[in-house]
Amino acid sequence: MKKDFGILKNGERVDLYILKNHNGMEAAVSNYGATWVSALVPDKNGVKRDMLLGYDDAAGYEAGEEAIGAIVGRVANRIAGAEFTLNGRTYRLCKNKGENSLHSGPDVYQKRVWNTVEEDDSHVVFELKSPDGDQGYPGAMKIQVTYSLDEENELRIAYRAETSEDTIFNMTNHAYFNLNGQGVGDILNHEVWVDADTFTVADADSIPTGEIALVEGTPMDFRQKKPVGRDIDENYEALIYGNGYDHNWVINGEGYRKAAEITGDKSGITMEVYTDRPGVQIYAGNFLSDEKGKGGVLYQKRTGICFETQNFPDAIHHENFPSPVIKRGDVLETVTAYKFIVK
């Protein structure tokens, strides 16, 4: 079902698409930024709770600065020095996080209106054509993002990208989750499990050093489910640098597999994360502050948590990381799913 989602500053009208299943779950996505806007999940008492932080309309997403619900690209996360060399040529990007590039600079995909290719009550396909040189990257790209909702309360995000020239690419979704419901306090008592024996060490600017470190014996260990807040303020270098959890975990195994799980302490709703990507950036909303969200709620520090499935940050500068390069003529297809379970 398509609904009006408001008007942007330039006068362009934006749409909202509602996906539904027979279990009473609803998910809403918008062609503005191919953004995931909401996930209404009935709790054990049948009361629908919105699992996602967000805004009431397109104007809120246009003004927002926290990439809430956004499809982030062309390259998510950080690139050191805001430049990289590919095939002997150096490409310079916008420096928007100190001397580095974060989420590909200010001209981001989530601030663009995507074309809606197809839609029905269970899925929507958005498409964006990104020209050669866009955001500083080589290659014209055609990118499709498909959202689909099934009868098992699983919201799948499928990415498809092809390029006219060799380039680098690493897209993700930047949804902030609160399994008690958006606006219902912080996420510190949510319990999290992550299938990761290691994480990528980063410096004070969140740029990877290239080291892949064991989580064992550190606050980064989520192999046994534990509350987010149990160790988040420990005197541990990675947590000091990140002001809490904001790091890339190396997901065990290969191929499409379960990567993480989180349970709301008040709702009893669990979300499972599945992906074929090598890493997941878990960000505990450490820098949220007075962000005016849905229904006038002010989102504060740690009121939402992100599970950004991805290639490793700054992978183009580290030969021991999975390559972010897509070759001319190749097609990249990847999928991530978020499954909601009521216990």
Side-chain angles (χ1 to χ4, degrees):
M1 180 175 66
K2 183 170 77 171
K3 297 173 60 178
D4 177 46
F5 200 44
I7 301 175
L8 304 175
K9 291 178 181 178
N10 65 4
E12 190 169 3
R13 188 167 293 279
V14 173
D15 298 318
L16 187 72
Y17 299 87
I18 311 299
L19 310 180
K20 299 181 179 181
N21 66 17
H22 291 99
N23 293 324
M25 180 176 169
E26 297 182 14
V29 295
S30 175
N31 62 333
Y32 182 63
T35 300
W36 188 8
V37 173
S38 67
L40 297 174
V41 180
D43 65 14
K44 60 187 178 183
N45 298 315
V47 178
K48 288 187 178 181
R49 299 178 183 237
D50 190 350
M51 303 287 99
L52 267 64
L53 276 59
Y55 306 99
D56 291 323
D57 53 25
Y61 285 94
E62 185 175 26
E65 299 180 353
E66 299 294 337
I68 293 177
I71 290 292
V72 181
R74 183 177 298 192
V75 177
N77 220 304
R78 290 160 175 81
I79 296 179
E83 67 177 38
F84 65 95
T85 299
L86 182 63
N87 298 336
R89 179 177 172 183
T90 297
Y91 297 90
R92 290 178 173 82
L93 312 172
C94 181
K95 296 179 179 179
N96 67 323
K97 196 70 172 178
E99 292 298 304
N100 308 306
S101 173
L102 174 64
H103 298 326
S104 295
D107 188 17
V108 286
Y109 288 171
Q110 72 257 30
K111 301 295 185 182
R112 307 183 192 184
V113 178
W114 293 50
N115 182 42
T116 303
V117 176
E118 60 183 68
E119 55 96 6
D120 60 23
D121 286 345
S122 64
H123 84 291
V124 180
V125 182
F126 298 122
E127 183 176 279
L128 180 72
K129 292 183 178 178
S130 178
D132 182 31
D134 194 7
Q135 301 172 321
Y137 297 99
M141 297 198 75
K142 184 171 79 171
I143 302 163
Q144 288 189 341
V145 173
T146 300
Y147 288 95
S148 56
L149 177 65
D150 70 12
E151 293 301 321
E152 302 299 320
N153 287 0
E154 182 174 281
L155 192 287
R156 292 169 65 91
I157 308 175
Y159 305 84
R160 187 183 191 277
E162 50 188 298
T163 177
S164 65
E165 302 293 339
D166 293 2
T167 192
I168 63 173
F169 184 81
N170 180 31
M171 291 187 74
T172 191
N173 183 277
H174 206 285
Y176 287 75
F177 300 96
N178 187 315
L179 275 293
N180 291 331
Q182 73 88 25
V184 185
D186 60 46
I187 46 80
L188 294 175
N189 289 321
H190 283 44
E191 293 207 332
V192 169
W193 168 85
V194 184
D195 190 12
D197 296 331
T198 55
F199 72 103
T200 53
V201 177
D203 64 18
D205 292 320
S206 296
I207 299 297
T209 64
E211 179 187 0
I212 297 177
L214 293 170
V215 300
E216 187 169 357
T218 79
M220 314 301 282
D221 193 348
F222 282 92
R223 293 173 301 173
Q224 297 293 324
K225 208 167 185 180
K226 68 178 181 181
V228 176
R230 194 182 82 179
D231 303 323
I232 198 169
D233 291 318
E234 287 292 304
N235 184 24
Y236 182 70
E237 184 176 76
L239 297 178
I240 294 169
Y241 285 163
N243 195 30
Y245 294 116
D246 187 11
H247 304 83
N248 174 66
W249 274 259
V250 179
I251 305 167
N252 293 333
E254 295 181 355
Y256 187 74
R257 67 238 187 254
K258 184 177 177 180
E261 179 180 300
I262 180 169
T263 301
D265 56 297
K266 297 177 181 177
S267 69
I269 296 174
T270 293
M271 182 182 77
E272 298 177 338
V273 182
Y274 296 83
T275 189
D276 55 15
R277 303 303 278 157
V280 58
Q281 184 88 9
I282 299 177
Y283 170 51
N286 308 310
F287 295 99
L288 282 175
S289 178
D290 292 334
E291 186 74 10
K292 189 175 181 180
K294 297 172 184 174
V297 172
L298 288 179
Y299 300 137
Q300 305 292 5
K301 181 178 181 179
R302 297 173 180 163
T303 52
I305 186 169
C306 304
F307 291 83
E308 306 161 58
T309 57
Q310 59 175 6
N311 198 346
F312 301 170
D314 198 34
I316 190 62
H317 290 132
H318 300 280
E319 291 185 357
N320 60 321
F321 288 2
S323 174
V325 175
I326 303 180
K327 295 290 187 179
R328 175 182 179 177
D330 284 354
V331 175
L332 174 71
E333 292 184 309
T334 177
V335 64
T336 292
Y338 301 89
K339 183 176 182 178
F340 298 90
I341 300 168
V342 183
K343 297 181 179 178

